[in-house]
Amino acid sequence: MNINKKKKKLKIIFLANTSWYFYNFRLSLIKFLIQNNFEIHLICPNDKFTKKLIQEGINVHTWNLKGSSINFFKELFSIYSLYKIYKNIKPDLVHHFTIKCVLYGTFISNICGIKFIFNSITGLGRIFISSKIEYKFLKVLILPFYKLIIQKSKGHFIFQNKSDLKYFIKLNISNKKNSHLISGSGIDINYFKNDININSFPKKGYWKLLFPSRLILEKGIIELIKACDSIWEKNKNFRLFIAGDFDINQKGNISKSYIEEIRKRAYIENIKYVHNMKTLYLDTDIVILPSWREGLSRIILEAGSMELPIIASNVPGCKEIIIKNKTGLLINKKDPESITDAILLLMNNNNLCKLFGKNIRTHIEKNFTNEIINTKTINLYRNIIKN
């Protein structure tokens, strides 16, 4: 069904801090909008996924931005280069993803007189949640600018979970009228589907645990290693696969020396970035994400759609998908002992693993598919434009 019935194509800018984000999280939405008579322009820094987006026939504009930079002069240059791109495209509507893009994109949109502005908060970022002094200082410094720029724009916010929505309202950045809840970026349940009949867990002679995330402190990797160390002393019938990318120059990443240290542990099967996660899920028994906070975890959606039992922290972005003791196990944040107890519970209960897998697949089918999320997004655009 063609939702956009106007003959004239509405021109939309999507702004993000990586091509990787667009390709892995928003490609379905982008294609859906194009099919419904929207003209899409992506603005993002160049990376190895830029070419893939172009090969899909999508307009991509390179933006000179360093995602983790806090250098004042570099940031000014990034803002100016973004201004030139916006002026050239002249969009009817803009949609910004991630905190820095929300701030810069909205500022430029105000200058360019763009009426329809949407800001997706895909996670709060270190400025809002870090306890480090440098980020607390940045929060105090930046918050007034956020309020000034956002309130002047009269733009709309899209949140992935209720906790982030309430937090932004509490900070007086957004309000109830311009805050909208759309849970995540959607998942392709036809692709992430287990076509292999699983009669029992573990699938092999030992339990295969999977940590499918970036190697940064906030994902809880150190707590997981402590838990696995504890289990290994009593039960050696498991292996851990760490499927995460790391960049030692990225703020918040664990050190290279720590990675090399844990690589030597007997229970570590591998530590590497995996592109085809579906194949890895098929070979996995338990997925563990002890994250400190998420926007809405794509990893949990993928693994849950594959009917895997999942252990995740009881934090925003995880607890919306993991319903305690129904679709998985929720653990305490930053608590290795809680992780240990959850892993042992599943390793000792094959039927519970199967029950969690079936329940979470059903929960995802009802709430988080690409079709559901894409339709909610395009309907929000249309409703705001009409009013």
Side-chain angles (χ1 to χ4, degrees):
M1 181 177 68
N2 194 317
I3 297 177
N4 186 353
K5 296 181 179 179
K6 291 184 178 181
K7 291 183 179 180
K8 177 183 177 295
K9 287 187 177 182
L10 284 177
K11 194 181 295 184
I12 299 181
I13 278 179
F14 274 12
L15 177 69
N17 58 6
T18 61
S19 296
W20 172 88
Y21 176 81
F22 282 140
Y23 190 83
N24 288 283
F25 290 86
R26 297 293 174 172
L27 186 58
S28 173
L29 174 61
I30 292 164
K31 289 182 176 181
F32 183 71
L33 290 170
I34 292 172
Q35 291 169 1
N36 283 278
N37 204 37
F38 287 85
E39 180 183 326
I40 307 298
H41 293 262
L42 307 185
I43 303 176
C44 50
N46 186 45
D47 60 37
K48 61 184 178 182
F49 287 90
T50 304
K51 186 176 180 180
K52 292 183 178 182
L53 291 168
I54 294 172
Q55 288 172 343
E56 293 282 350
I58 302 167
N59 298 313
V60 182
H61 307 262
T62 300
W63 180 28
N64 192 337
L65 172 77
K66 298 294 182 182
S68 60
S69 171
I70 55 175
N71 181 288
F72 178 74
F73 295 103
K74 287 183 179 179
E75 297 308 293
L76 278 181
F77 179 75
S78 294
I79 293 170
Y80 177 67
S81 65
L82 188 62
Y83 166 76
K84 291 196 294 184
I85 298 172
Y86 272 49
K87 286 292 288 184
N88 182 53
I89 295 174
K90 296 181 176 61
D92 300 296
L93 180 154
V94 292
H95 193 157
H96 309 129
F97 301 88
T98 72
I99 293 292
K100 183 179 282 191
C101 294
V102 166
L103 181 61
Y104 293 179
T106 303
F107 176 67
I108 297 304
S109 298
N110 292 342
I111 294 174
C112 295
I114 298 168
K115 184 177 180 181
F116 301 110
I117 302 169
F118 295 84
N119 297 313
S120 278
I121 305 302
T122 58
L124 292 186
R126 293 191 185 94
I127 289 177
F128 287 91
I129 64 176
S130 178
S131 59
K132 290 185 177 180
I133 294 176
E134 62 179 306
Y135 289 107
K136 285 186 175 181
F137 175 74
L138 280 173
K139 180 181 175 181
V140 172
L141 187 66
I142 289 174
L143 202 54
F145 290 99
Y146 251 95
K147 293 178 180 180
L148 178 65
I149 292 168
I150 297 300
Q151 290 168 359
K152 182 180 178 182
S153 73
K154 298 181 180 179
H156 291 261
F157 280 89
I158 301 174
F159 297 90
Q160 296 193 347
N161 64 69
K162 290 181 180 179
S163 297
D164 290 354
L165 185 152
K166 291 178 181 178
Y167 183 61
F168 265 58
I169 292 176
K170 182 180 178 181
L171 291 176
N172 196 31
I173 297 176
S174 64
N175 56 61
K176 291 182 179 180
K177 186 176 180 182
N178 70 358
S179 299
H180 313 274
L181 182 66
I182 298 179
S183 300
S185 55
I187 189 75
D188 184 350
I189 59 171
N190 294 317
Y191 175 75
F192 288 103
K193 183 178 182 180
N194 189 355
D195 298 318
I196 300 173
N197 185 24
I198 302 174
N199 295 318
S200 63
F201 292 90
K203 298 170 185 174
K204 297 180 180 179
Y206 59 88
W207 288 84
K208 183 169 181 176
L209 315 181
L210 173 63
F211 173 81
S213 187
R214 289 176 295 152
L215 297 177
I216 58 175
L217 295 174
E218 290 91 337
K219 298 298 182 180
I221 179 63
I222 292 179
E223 297 91 80
L224 175 58
I225 294 299
K226 288 180 180 178
C228 288
D229 285 347
S230 176
I231 296 171
W232 189 252
E233 293 178 359
K234 307 168 187 176
N235 184 344
K236 293 180 169 55
N237 191 35
F238 76 93
R239 300 292 182 273
L240 173 63
F241 194 111
I242 299 175
D245 204 357
F246 71 95
D247 178 358
I248 60 174
N249 297 315
Q250 178 74 30
K251 291 182 181 295
N253 279 17
I254 60 177
S255 67
K256 186 177 181 180
S257 60
Y258 182 76
I259 294 171
E260 294 309 313
E261 176 194 335
I262 62 177
R263 194 187 295 275
K264 296 174 184 177
R265 283 165 166 77
Y267 60 77
I268 296 292
E269 183 173 319
N270 211 335
I271 303 177
K272 69 174 184 178
Y273 172 78
V274 176
H275 177 67
N276 187 353
M277 288 299 295
K278 180 177 179 179
T279 300
L280 187 55
Y281 291 138
L282 287 169
D283 195 38
T284 295
D285 295 304
I286 301 171
V287 171
I288 309 165
L289 184 65
S291 178
W292 301 355
R293 193 182 184 104
E294 297 282 326
L296 194 99
S297 174
R298 175 61 174 256
I299 287 298
I300 294 179
L301 291 178
E302 291 177 358
S305 190
M306 297 289 293
E307 298 186 43
L308 286 171
I310 299 169
I311 298 169
S313 298
N314 188 14
V315 297
C318 294
K319 63 183 180 180
E320 289 78 12
I321 314 169
I322 302 297
I323 302 171
K324 186 177 181 180
N325 298 330
K326 182 178 180 180
T327 64
L329 294 178
L330 289 174
I331 54 174
N332 301 326
K333 183 175 73 171
K334 300 183 183 181
D335 187 349
E337 186 176 344
S338 182
I339 300 172
T340 299
D341 292 342
I343 292 173
L344 290 174
L345 176 62
L346 291 180
M347 287 175 62
N348 290 310
N349 200 324
N350 171 44
N351 290 331
L352 189 61
C353 290
K354 290 190 287 185
L355 177 63
F356 284 161
K358 291 184 179 299
N359 287 348
I360 194 169
R361 168 77 186 189
T362 300
H363 183 52
I364 291 168
E365 289 174 340
K366 292 180 179 178
N367 298 281
F368 303 106
T369 67
N370 279 341
E371 182 179 7
I372 292 170
I373 301 303
N374 293 345
T375 300
K376 285 183 177 180
T377 304
I378 200 171
N379 284 344
L380 178 60
Y381 290 164
R382 300 296 292 164
N383 289 337
I384 297 302
I385 291 171
K386 286 179 181 177
N387 295 328

